Each structure stands twice: as C-alpha cells, then as structure tokens.
Amino acid sequence: MQDKKRLVITGGGSGLGRALALRWAQQGAAICVTDKDAESAARVAEEVVQAGGESFCVQADVTSEADWLTVLEQVQQHWDGADLLINNAGVATAGDFETETMEQWQWILNINLLGVVRGCQTFAPLFKKQGQGQIINISSQAGITHLPSMGSYNAVKAAVIAFSETLRMELAADNIQVSVVCPSFFRTNLDQSMRTAQPHFKVKVGRYFDRATLSAEQVADYVYKSAQTDAFIVLPHKEGRKAWYMKRFLPNLRYINMMLKMTRRKKR
C-alpha cells in the first residue's frame, strides 16, 4: 500500500534530507523539497519523481520567516494542505568552549533551533485547521550524550529535544503527532558545513563520519518506519539506544565518571 502523504522536508537537497525524500518517494508520497541551494533542491525533486513520488522544490533559508511563508504558500497552491513537516536542515560546530565565539553560537542557534521553531510555527496552524498533522524534528545523539568540545552543537540539539517534547504535549489535543530523531554519526556531508576555530576538529569529525556504521539511507529507512508508529524519541543507532538507556538508568555520578574515563582515553 502506497503512502500518499504530502511532505515538506527542509535541507532536502543533500544528506539525510535527500535520503528521507527518496525513502518516502518509494511509497508514492508527494514531497516539497526545500533547501537554501536551489540547484540541489531541484535535483532531488527530479530524483523523487524518478523514484515513484511527486515533487516540487522551493529555495528557502530556514532562518528567514519570509522564506517559510513562501514555502507555506507554495504548499497550499500545490496541495491545499500538508500531512508531514520534517525539520531536517542543520549545520555543525565544534571546538573547546573558549574558542567558540558568540557569532558561532548565534549562527548554529539560528539554524538548528530557531529554524525548527519557525517551521513549526508556520505549519502548526495549518495542521490544526486540517484537524491532523505530523512533525518530525531532526536532532542528534549529541542532544542526549554531551561529549566535550561540542558545546554549542550539544546545547542546540538538546534544545530541539526539549522543544519537541513541549510541542508533543501542546499539540496532542489537535491530533498533531510530534517526534524527534537523534542519530549518531552516519555517512553524510554534515562536516562540510562545520564551523570551528580549531581545524583539527574538522578532520577528527570527518573521520567519525567516514567510519560510521550507518548510511543516510539506513537512517532514513529507520525514520520512515518509526513515523508509522507513535514513537517520540527515535534512535536509529544501536549504540545510541544503549547510551540513552545508560544515561537514563545509571546513577548520575557513575554515568559522569564513565564518560570522563571514555573521553580521557579518546584524548590520549
């Protein structure tokens, strides 16, 4: 049975956004691919059609409220409604906290957190009017397991989880399902957008991506299957699920000491 849902995916021109678009396309979904890069968005929209879905693209920057209104207008013109918003667009930062400037904090905050907030504020009224809808916010394992030298990235991803939980409570009565996805490292191009004042971190993170156990397509498949359920926190990685359970159930001091030992070994 095909899934004829109408989706809006931010950051859909590459990486996980592209993989999500193509995964839903396999079920015959209609997808609005948005991306800051117009060429990438157009290319993925064509791939969606080739994969069996329907698609159109909109050039949009998640930091622009005007762009979000354009996306909403285009969606209403094409479909007169929507079923699912995936807030996927994001960037990366790294570095010891003394090296992270306020400009770097504001940059990632504006994209990774406020971009999600803008998307939800734009589409929630439409979902309420329809009497149904679904929101999937892409966070990260970094929002749960806070490794050193990733202060701003950890903080905004944790905020996305907290915001998503708040939305789940607020929108439940309106028949709007909210979930948050927290993947660990997977093979993608996120490191290309990374900002850091310490270049060795970009090399280090790039190696983590290269060694990742899952591909963007595997993560997208896990997200698709979870979207058919009422799951809230979606953890595609086995090691991520293990870390989440340890943090939840181990005594706090034991967990912190265990993480300190692990990070010291990695530094050595």
Side-chain angles (χ1 to χ4, degrees):
M1 181 178 179
Q2 288 192 325
D3 185 347
K4 293 294 186 181
K5 285 189 175 179
R6 302 159 296 177
L7 281 74
V8 178
I9 302 177
T10 67
S14 63
L16 180 58
R18 172 181 176 272
L20 289 165
L22 295 179
R23 180 62 184 87
W24 257 272
Q26 294 174 17
Q27 309 306 127
I31 301 166
C32 170
V33 179
T34 82
D35 201 284
K36 192 175 180 179
D37 185 333
E39 291 184 5
S40 296
R43 183 169 59 250
V44 172
E46 292 178 2
E47 291 180 305
V48 166
V49 174
Q50 293 169 4
E54 302 172 18
S55 188
F56 70 94
C57 62
V58 181
Q59 182 180 17
D61 183 339
V62 296
T63 68
S64 167
E65 292 180 32
D67 283 7
W68 271 110
L69 290 176
T70 298
V71 173
L72 179 62
E73 290 169 1
Q74 289 293 312
V75 165
Q76 290 176 315
Q77 286 179 18
H78 280 80
W79 304 328
D80 193 31
D83 301 300
L84 171 58
L85 168 66
I86 303 182
N87 285 305
N88 164 75
V91 292
T93 52
D96 298 330
F97 82 95
E98 300 100 326
T99 72
E100 287 206 273
T101 63
M102 284 298 105
E103 186 277 331
Q104 183 163 300
W105 272 89
Q106 290 166 351
W107 178 69
I108 194 169
L109 177 70
N110 200 20
I111 297 170
N112 285 19
L113 176 59
L114 298 184
V116 171
V117 174
R118 292 184 190 98
C120 293
Q121 288 186 334
T122 301
F123 276 88
L126 174 63
F127 291 162
K128 286 183 177 182
K129 184 179 178 181
Q130 295 174 165
Q132 65 85 29
Q134 186 175 5
I135 297 170
I136 298 176
N137 296 326
I138 306 299
S139 180
S140 168
Q141 183 69 36
I144 298 172
T145 310
H146 313 308
L147 297 179
S149 303
M150 294 179 65
S152 60
Y153 189 76
N154 291 343
V156 296
K157 289 300 187 180
V160 170
I161 298 172
F163 175 63
S164 299
E165 184 172 344
T166 303
L167 277 188
R168 186 174 174 91
M169 303 300 177
E170 288 190 18
L171 300 178
D174 296 294
N175 196 31
I176 300 172
Q177 180 184 336
V178 180
S179 58
V180 60
V181 180
C182 301
S184 187
F185 289 103
F186 60 93
R187 295 188 291 281
T188 186
N189 60 347
L190 183 61
D191 58 316
Q192 295 176 13
S193 68
M194 175 178 284
R195 289 191 183 184
T196 178
Q198 298 168 282
H200 70 279
F201 277 115
K202 194 163 187 177
V203 175
K204 185 176 182 180
V205 171
R207 288 174 182 160
Y208 282 132
F209 281 119
D210 291 340
R211 297 171 187 165
T213 57
L214 296 182
S215 66
E217 290 72 22
Q218 288 172 306
V219 173
D221 183 62
Y222 194 95
V223 173
Y224 173 80
K225 291 174 180 175
S226 295
Q228 315 312 310
T229 72
D230 195 35
F232 171 59
I233 293 184
V234 178
L235 299 159
H237 288 74
K238 182 179 179 180
E239 59 269 30
R241 294 190 289 274
K242 180 180 178 181
W244 183 69
Y245 282 117
M246 285 194 299
K247 189 167 187 177
R248 283 191 70 189
F249 297 115
L250 284 179
N252 184 257
L253 186 59
R254 182 180 174 187
Y255 172 80
I256 293 295
N257 286 335
M258 181 182 70
M259 294 300 291
L260 282 171
K261 290 179 182 178
M262 184 184 75
T263 54
R264 284 170 186 154
R265 285 199 303 269
K266 286 184 179 294
K267 282 187 177 182
R268 288 198 297 266

